[in-house]
Every structure is written in structure tokens, then in C-alpha cells.
Amino acid sequence: MSVSLEQLRRCHFAVDLGAARTRVYVKGAGLVVDQPSVAAVNVRSGSLIAVGDFAEQMTGRTPDYIRVVRPISGGTVVDIDMAQRMLRHLMGDKMRRALRRKARLRAAACTPHDADPLAQRATIETLLGLGARRVELVDTLIAAAVGCGLPVERPEATMIMVCGAAATQVAVLSLGSIVTAQRIPVGGEAVDHAIVQYLRHSHELLLPSQSVRPLQLALSGNGLTPQGPPQTEINGRDVATGLPRTVRVDTSAVREAIQTPLTAVLDGIGKVLRECPPDLVADLADRGIIMVGGSALLSGFDQMVREATGMPVFIAERPDLCAARGLGEMLEGRIEPLVLDPLAA
């Protein structure tokens, strides 16, 4: 990590490309972009109509000639050209002109743990298209750990759980590196999908695609915990008639419906702990697990992890911004590299 830190200090801006939101940190200016990773395109002319919040509001409400696309999936760029166009509009002409004036413009970006070479290359190509001459890639787990203030450079174990929209990444860190990690292809979107399918099959109710988040409706209060509200009202469309309908749903049934995706996450945590050296596991028994990422805010999720592992579980402050903040800390040179020099003979 010492070499990459030195390179990161030379970078001028950093991008956290998430499945749900895209964030841009500019050295000396801070976080300048925090918008949904969504773009709306006119399929007849190919022109870009909207990006970010406005494009997300258009999802499911557009005429035939407008298509809402997500060029980023699970932290991986799946449409380089559209991702570049989206980033240009999100950053704005003024910010891009200021960056272009930098000599040998350098950029940094987060990539998911164990991202394959093609995914890494797609991220690099996206930022090169914005004018960067060199792109440094940082593991999302490292960036998030730095962003939430974990002592990643010390010879002691810290465990982090990045709860994203498309995937959950779990890792044990020590001496500035990843000791063991797992990437589970289950995130907030899988939980949302489980709730939508439950309402469709059990209540014959279709939820609006983007007008409301299913979790915010079905898991109000204490959410996943039995102490939450026994019932909640859901507004949607009747499958048979197509007319609006309101149903009362037992939250206990909703909790049961989302057990499958969440169980996969708990299995991943168990695998990481089993592969971790015993001395580091002993450290974790006291320090516990830090949850970051937007899906960490799922009410009651931390308690579920706590009960499954028997370890303390904490949610970071502003967990959705930890990775972007971590990149910013590295760019600004606030993280001192750990130098392990060989001992003299």
C-alpha cells in the first residue's frame, strides 16, 4: 500500500463508481458529485437527456423514445461510452475545464475486490476518456476502511463489511493489506427484489419501479428486528385488474422473505472468519465489524449480523460516503504509508 499511496498523492481527482450512486472527489475541493448512476437517452437521436437525480426520477415514466440506462453495474463499468458521457455531465463544464488545465492529469478510482482485468480496464478507459493521463485503481475495501477511520496501517485486525447495491464485500485487514476477503453477489437490490417478489406472489401486488423504495415501505421502524411494527401498508397495482390497491402486510412475513439473500451474506462473513488466522480473529472479538455502504442503513441488518457472529457490529458515520472519503484522504496525503525496511545484518 505504500507505493500506491505515493502514486495517489499525485492524483488530482478520484471517482467512486457505484451501482447505485457515482461520487467524484476533487483534490482541494472535496466531494463535488454525489448522484445516482443513471442516464436518460433519446434513442432516436442518441442524445443525452438527463443524468443523476432527474434521470432516476424518469425511470418507468418515459415514452418509448426515451430509455433510462445504468452504465455501471456492481461497481463495474458495463457501457464505457455512456459512463463517460454521464460523468462529463455530472462534473459540469467548469470543473472539467479546471481539471484539464492540470499538467499530466491523474485520476484514481475504486474497484470491487477481485475485479477481473476486463472490469479494471473498463474503469481505466472511462477515466482516460475524461482527459486523465494516468489512472490509479484502489480496492473498495481499502478505500472504505480508510474513509471510516479504521487503523488499517497497524499490525492488528480490522474487519469491514461494504454493503453495496449489487454486492457485499467482507474483509479482514492488517498492516495496510487485505488478509482475507469475500465478495458476495448479494446487495440492497437483491433484498428489494425479494420483497417485490413476495408482494407479487403473496398479495398479487405490483410495486412502482422507482417511485418508492420497497425497503423504506416494508421495513419501517426497526425493520428486520422482531421489535419492529407488526404490520405496514403498501401501495401498488393489482396484478389482475391493473388498478391501484393498498394492502396490509405482516412485517414478519417480509423478514422471512428476505432471509435467503441475507443468509448468503452471513455465510460469506463466516467464510472470511474461518480463513482468517486465529491471532487476528482474537483481535476481532473485541473490535468487531464495521459496516459501510448504502445498504448498511437497512434497519436491523446490523443486529442480524451481531446475532449470527456473536461479535460487536458498528455502522460507520455516513456509511454511504466512506469509500469516496477514503479516496479523498489518500489524495490529500493524510494517510501515512507504512514502511517496512529490511533490518541491517
Side-chain angles (χ1 to χ4, degrees), residues 142-151 160 290-292 316-317 319 321-323 325-326:
I142 297 290
V146 171
C148 64
L150 289 178
I160 189 166
I290 304 295
M291 295 177 64
V292 303
E317 182 181 355
L321 298 180
C322 284
R325 280 198 310 225

Side-chain angles (χ1 to χ4, degrees), residues 61 196 206-214 217 234-237:
R61 300 183 176 91
V196 170
L206 289 176
L207 286 184
S209 58
Q210 283 291 330
S211 60
V212 292
R213 277 185 59 84
L217 286 175
I234 302 288
N235 300 314
R237 189 181 72 184

